[in-house]
Amino acid sequence: MSIQIKSIVLYHKTGKMRTVQFTLGKVNIITGKSKVGKSAIIEIIEYCLGRSEFRVPEGVIRNHVVFFGVKLKHKEHEIIIVKKAPEGNAVSQSQIHFEVGTDLQFPDLDKIKTNSNDDSLVEYLGNLIGISANLHIPSVGESRDSIEANFKHTRTFLFQKQSVIANESTLFHRQNEPFIPQAIKDTLPYFLGVIREDQLRLEQELRQTKRQLKLLKKRMDEAILIAGNSSASAISLFEEAKQVGLLDEKISSDNSEAILSYLREALKWKPYDAPLFETNHSQKLQSDRRGIIEQIAQVNDQISSAQAFASEAIGYTHQANQQRLRLESVHLFPSEGDGREHCPLCTSRMENSVPTVDLINSSLLNLKNNLISVERERPKLREFLSQLTQEQNSLKEELQTITSSINSLVMEQQIADDIKEINTRIARVVGRISMFLEHYHEVHEDKGLSGQIAQLVDRIKVLEQELDKDKKDELLTSALSRISTYMTKWAEELQLEHSESPYRLDLKNLTVIADQEERPIPMYRMGSGENWLGCHLVSHLALHKYFIQRARPIPSFIILDQPTQVYFPPDKYSVMEGLDEELTDEDRLAVSRLFNLLFSVCNELQSKLQIIVLDHANIDIPEFQEALIEEPWRNGRALIPSDWLLEDTE
């Protein structure tokens, strides 16, 4: 037995729990009037089975329930999953409380602990029911991504909501949502067993084998091309090896085996060691050189300034002395005394000082003193210039030394580059020799490469046969044919229109078709809601029967919401008591056929399928009444207990 539902639970914020128990392997019926929570059961179960989006309708349930839980049964083990309702305006929530064991009980509210999430749950449940590694790869030219079937995809076949179960154009749960139809088409072949369990492994092996074959064929083509004219190629490489210094230029041979031997010997070559070039040291020398050049420029500036000063001083002294000599020749300057009492023109002593004469004598005295001062400073200036010249010469010598060091490093770098170029040239020749000898060996000395290629070709043929698309299509056609047999038989039992013709599942368009002789009739052209309902029932029951017979990895339950709605007008739901007196004789027979089919299929599959029916109707037939798991949800009975409502209003 695959997964079936043992019970669901709702938690009130006070810690009270509302549990709904189900019977395994049987038809379970919950009946009641509208707006008592029946339809929410599908949303609750799907939410607890790993759907993060919370789709429970707004109203009583959202207002009064803080946690939802489901207990699953798989073979000897039970699985409890409890999820908190999203808080605030959140529309999704993925954290769960998860337990696995035997004879489990739902935890009390204060014992609920988050220990997993939806993604881990989906992976666990998929592994539990046996979903193996699989991958649907779209045909060449199709742009959509590959898809791997997982537990999420099984939910497509587990639920028939009220809006779907009698819909003329939608056959599967969530079929009208984006990307879901294509996902159903891509994953259903796997769930039907059309795709091998080791399909993914074989497809990966086929891709890898083809890639390996392509590389070996390319290698063989290169070998044949290179070694095809082996004698000429060997001689050419022999001469190249001598040119670059791999072999002695004096060697000469016309013997092919000898040339091959020389070429093999050339492969032992090792690159020449190049001198290490100290980049950091070179950079330091360059930096030092720039610093010395700057210092020399500064010294040169100082020398130029000093020489200019000296030149100006000499010129001044020369001119001043010339003037002094002229004045002395006419005895304008006295040899003794300060000259302030003599006339500078006639040299006679003057009794009284004349201001103009005083000024002339004062100027002449200053000139004399300046000449003396200049003559006194000239030796110091010559010493300063000598020091600057010595410093200049020292810096020039240091600059020459550093320049020589830099030139030496440049020469070392040139030598290293030359050696590197020689190594590169020789390495290219060695590479061609190596490739030639390798391909020569593969083509001339053994058949290993050819043997590998032959083995890969044979393996690819075997893999392609096992993965033959035509074979897959045949298996899919066979599976759909068996399903069609079940559908046709049950369509006759339900007395659907066109049931005299074969019914089948149209996987391409995700609908049901009745194949009349004149033309195929799709579900949406069959007419009444009774026929649409019948198409949904026979197709899903047939799929589950096939899944169970082939032990496919699909949970073994299906939930049907309001299957009798086509027999009861919606305006009567709010007032009817659910008894079958509302039905006409013809409708009563149709409803009986519907439930008889459900009971019959469950009995036929011997408890391997669980069917849960959520309905307004309360049909007065023994099997229906025995299948009720609770008293009808009327007169205050509902999914949410009435005392919860009272507590929240207090």
Side-chain angles (χ1 to χ4, degrees):
M1 179 184 71
S2 186
I3 290 176
Q4 293 187 2
I5 300 174
K6 194 166 186 181
S7 58
I8 63 172
V9 66
L10 286 69
Y11 289 83
H12 187 259
K13 62 185 178 182
T14 61
K16 291 184 177 181
M17 300 162 59
R18 165 72 162 107
T19 305
V20 179
Q21 302 284 352
F22 296 97
T23 304
L24 303 176
K26 300 289 184 180
V27 176
N28 294 254
I29 300 176
I30 297 177
T31 182
K33 67 178 185 177
S34 299
K35 301 179 181 179
V36 291
K38 300 187 302 299
S39 297
I41 289 177
I42 288 181
E43 303 293 355
I44 292 170
I45 292 175
E46 187 174 17
Y47 180 62
C48 291
L49 290 184
R51 184 176 186 182
S52 299
E53 185 181 5
F54 189 61
R55 299 294 299 271
V56 172
E58 293 286 349
V60 173
I61 300 176
R62 280 181 177 247
N63 294 338
H64 299 278
V65 180
V66 292
F67 279 89
F68 301 87
V70 63
K71 183 189 294 185
L72 306 176
K73 179 73 173 179
H74 180 262
K75 297 181 179 178
E76 302 303 321
H77 293 89
E78 292 179 347
I79 304 159
I80 282 181
I81 304 153
V82 180
K83 288 185 70 175
K84 187 176 184 179
E87 297 180 351
N89 295 325
V91 296
S92 64
Q93 198 280 120
S94 62
Q95 301 303 305
I96 67 171
H97 170 102
F98 180 74
E99 295 182 46
V100 179
T102 56
D103 298 324
L104 296 179
Q105 301 296 323
F106 283 109
D108 293 333
L109 183 61
D110 58 352
K111 296 296 193 301
I112 297 175
K113 303 294 182 184
T114 297
N115 57 7
S116 190
N117 56 41
D118 286 338
D119 290 339
S120 298
L121 175 65
V122 166
E123 182 178 359
Y124 172 81
L125 294 178
N127 293 332
L128 184 67
I129 62 178
I131 297 180
S132 59
N134 65 89
L135 192 69
H136 173 81
I137 301 176
S139 303
V140 177
E142 296 183 356
S143 60
R144 69 181 187 277
D145 295 334
S146 301
I147 185 172
E148 181 176 3
N150 58 45
F151 185 81
K152 289 182 180 179
H153 298 108
T154 68
R155 300 197 298 250
T156 300
F157 313 105
L158 305 182
F159 307 111
Q160 284 282 285
K161 297 173 66 175
Q162 180 180 357
S163 58
V164 174
I165 196 167
N167 192 301
E168 73 273 23
S169 57
T170 301
L171 183 63
F172 292 99
H173 178 57
R174 299 179 61 189
Q175 182 181 329
N176 59 344
E177 297 181 20
F179 310 112
I180 298 297
Q182 191 60 55
I184 297 172
K185 298 174 188 179
D186 291 343
T187 58
L188 184 55
Y190 168 76
F191 289 122
L192 291 174
V194 171
I195 298 175
R196 298 170 50 124
E197 294 299 320
D198 57 353
Q199 177 91 2
L200 180 59
R201 180 186 63 79
L202 294 178
E203 287 176 347
Q204 289 176 336
E205 183 183 351
L206 179 60
R207 287 194 295 272
Q208 292 173 355
T209 305
K210 285 184 175 180
R211 188 181 303 111
Q212 188 177 1
L213 176 62
K214 183 177 179 180
L215 293 175
L216 287 181
K217 282 185 174 180
K218 181 179 180 181
R219 187 173 164 188
M220 174 64 83
D221 292 340
E222 291 175 348
I224 293 173
L225 180 64
I226 293 172
N229 189 7
S230 58
S231 178
S233 299
I235 293 173
S236 175
L237 290 171
F238 179 65
E239 294 299 327
E240 279 192 60
K242 291 194 294 181
Q243 290 176 8
V244 298
L246 267 173
L247 299 174
D248 192 339
E249 292 183 357
K250 299 178 182 179
I251 297 175
S252 178
S253 178
D254 295 330
N255 185 289
S256 298
E257 290 300 323
I259 290 175
L260 290 173
S261 177
Y262 284 127
L263 292 179
R264 293 189 183 97
E265 188 68 22
L267 295 180
K268 298 179 181 179
W269 168 81
K270 295 185 181 301
Y272 302 116
D273 294 331
L276 296 177
F277 181 70
E278 298 183 9
T279 304
N280 293 336
H281 183 50
S282 175
Q283 292 175 349
K284 183 178 183 302
L285 290 176
Q286 293 286 0
S287 177
D288 292 345
R289 184 175 183 274
R290 287 192 296 269
I292 292 174
I293 290 174
E294 290 177 0
Q295 292 181 46
I296 290 174
Q298 292 174 1
V299 171
N300 288 338
D301 289 342
Q302 290 177 338
I303 290 174
S304 297
S305 298
Q307 288 175 341
F309 178 78
S311 177
E312 291 176 358
I314 291 171
Y316 171 78
T317 304
H318 177 73
Q319 292 295 330
N321 280 326
Q322 289 293 327
Q323 296 300 325
R324 180 175 178 276
L325 290 173
R326 290 190 187 101
L327 293 173
E328 285 180 348
S329 65
V330 293
H331 304 287
L332 185 62
F333 288 96
S335 58
E336 295 179 358
D338 57 7
R340 293 183 179 274
E341 298 177 355
H342 294 80
C343 176
L345 297 177
C346 62
T347 68
S348 60
R349 183 178 294 276
M350 294 185 299
E351 294 298 331
N352 297 316
S353 176
V354 180
T356 302
V357 173
D358 289 341
L359 289 174
I360 294 173
N361 284 328
S362 176
S363 297
L364 292 174
L365 182 61
N366 288 336
L367 177 61
K368 180 181 178 181
N369 292 333
N370 287 341
L371 287 171
I372 295 171
S373 176
V374 169
E375 289 298 327
R376 188 171 55 249
E377 294 297 328
R378 288 179 68 182
K380 295 181 179 179
L381 182 60
R382 285 195 295 270
E383 182 181 357
F384 178 66
L385 281 171
S386 177
Q387 291 175 354
L388 288 177
T389 302
Q390 291 177 2
E391 183 179 356
Q392 182 188 50
N393 293 334
S394 176
L395 288 172
K396 286 182 177 180
E397 291 177 0
E398 187 176 354
L399 177 63
Q400 186 176 4
T401 301
I402 291 177
T403 301
S404 299
S405 299
I406 291 174
N407 291 335
S408 298
L409 286 177
V410 170
M411 291 180 64
E412 289 182 13
Q413 177 63 34
Q414 185 63 45
I415 294 171
D417 291 342
D418 291 343
I419 293 175
K420 182 179 179 181
E421 183 179 355
I422 293 171
N423 283 337
T424 301
R425 290 175 57 198
I426 296 176
R428 283 198 294 265
V429 177
V430 170
R432 289 201 296 273
I433 292 173
S434 175
M435 184 169 62
F436 168 78
L437 292 176
E438 180 181 352
H439 291 137
Y440 181 89
H441 175 80
E442 291 174 342
V443 174
H444 292 277
E445 298 184 15
D446 65 49
K447 302 297 181 182
L449 187 59
S450 300
Q452 292 179 46
I453 291 176
Q455 290 178 359
L456 292 179
V457 170
D458 292 340
R459 181 56 181 164
I460 287 172
K461 289 180 180 178
V462 172
L463 291 172
E464 287 180 338
Q465 289 175 356
E466 294 181 356
L467 296 170
D468 186 5
K469 185 178 184 300
D470 293 336
K471 184 177 180 181
K472 173 184 171 183
D473 292 341
E474 290 176 3
L475 292 173
L476 180 59
T477 300
S478 175
L480 294 177
S481 177
R482 291 183 60 183
I483 291 171
S484 174
T485 301
Y486 308 147
M487 293 172 61
T488 302
K489 175 178 177 293
W490 295 334
E492 292 177 356
E493 293 181 11
L494 293 178
Q495 297 182 14
L496 303 181
E497 290 185 26
H498 317 294
S499 58
E500 70 282 357
S501 302
Y503 269 56
R504 63 181 171 88
L505 180 63
D506 179 5
L507 184 56
K508 180 179 179 181
N509 298 300
L510 299 182
T511 190
V512 173
I513 288 181
D515 283 318
Q516 283 198 331
E517 292 184 4
E518 298 83 3
R519 61 185 179 280
I521 300 177
M523 178 174 65
Y524 67 87
R525 291 214 313 260
M526 289 186 185
S528 69
E530 182 179 352
N531 288 311
W532 303 332
L533 169 67
C535 288
H536 282 254
L537 292 178
V538 299
S539 59
H540 282 271
L541 291 174
L543 281 170
H544 275 277
K545 180 176 179 178
Y546 186 87
F547 293 151
I548 291 171
Q549 289 178 334
R550 297 292 300 272
R552 300 305 301 154
I554 295 281
S556 298
F557 70 85
I558 183 171
I559 303 179
L560 310 174
D561 187 16
Q562 315 298 343
T564 66
Q565 61 181 291
V566 299
Y567 306 105
F568 297 99
D571 59 348
K572 293 185 178 181
Y573 286 170
S574 59
V575 297
M576 65 179 291
E577 289 301 318
L579 301 177
D580 62 353
E581 60 263 17
E582 294 288 340
L583 302 175
T584 64
D585 290 341
E586 183 177 351
D587 289 343
R588 185 180 293 106
L589 291 174
V591 171
S592 296
R593 288 193 295 268
L594 184 158
F595 282 100
N596 286 337
L597 174 62
L598 300 181
F599 293 128
S600 173
V601 171
C602 260
N603 292 334
E604 179 185 353
L605 296 176
Q606 300 177 350
S607 302
K608 294 179 180 179
L609 177 64
Q610 179 187 43
I611 301 176
I612 299 174
V613 180
L614 314 170
D615 212 316
H616 292 287
N618 185 6
I619 309 302
D620 190 15
I621 57 177
E623 282 186 305
F624 186 100
Q625 295 299 315
E626 291 174 4
L628 292 175
I629 60 174
E630 291 190 350
E631 290 290 322
W633 290 0
R634 296 183 174 86
N635 301 321
R637 288 186 293 271
L639 181 62
I640 302 298
S642 56
D643 59 328
W644 289 15
L645 308 181
L646 295 174
E647 288 181 0
D648 288 344
T649 59
E650 293 178 356

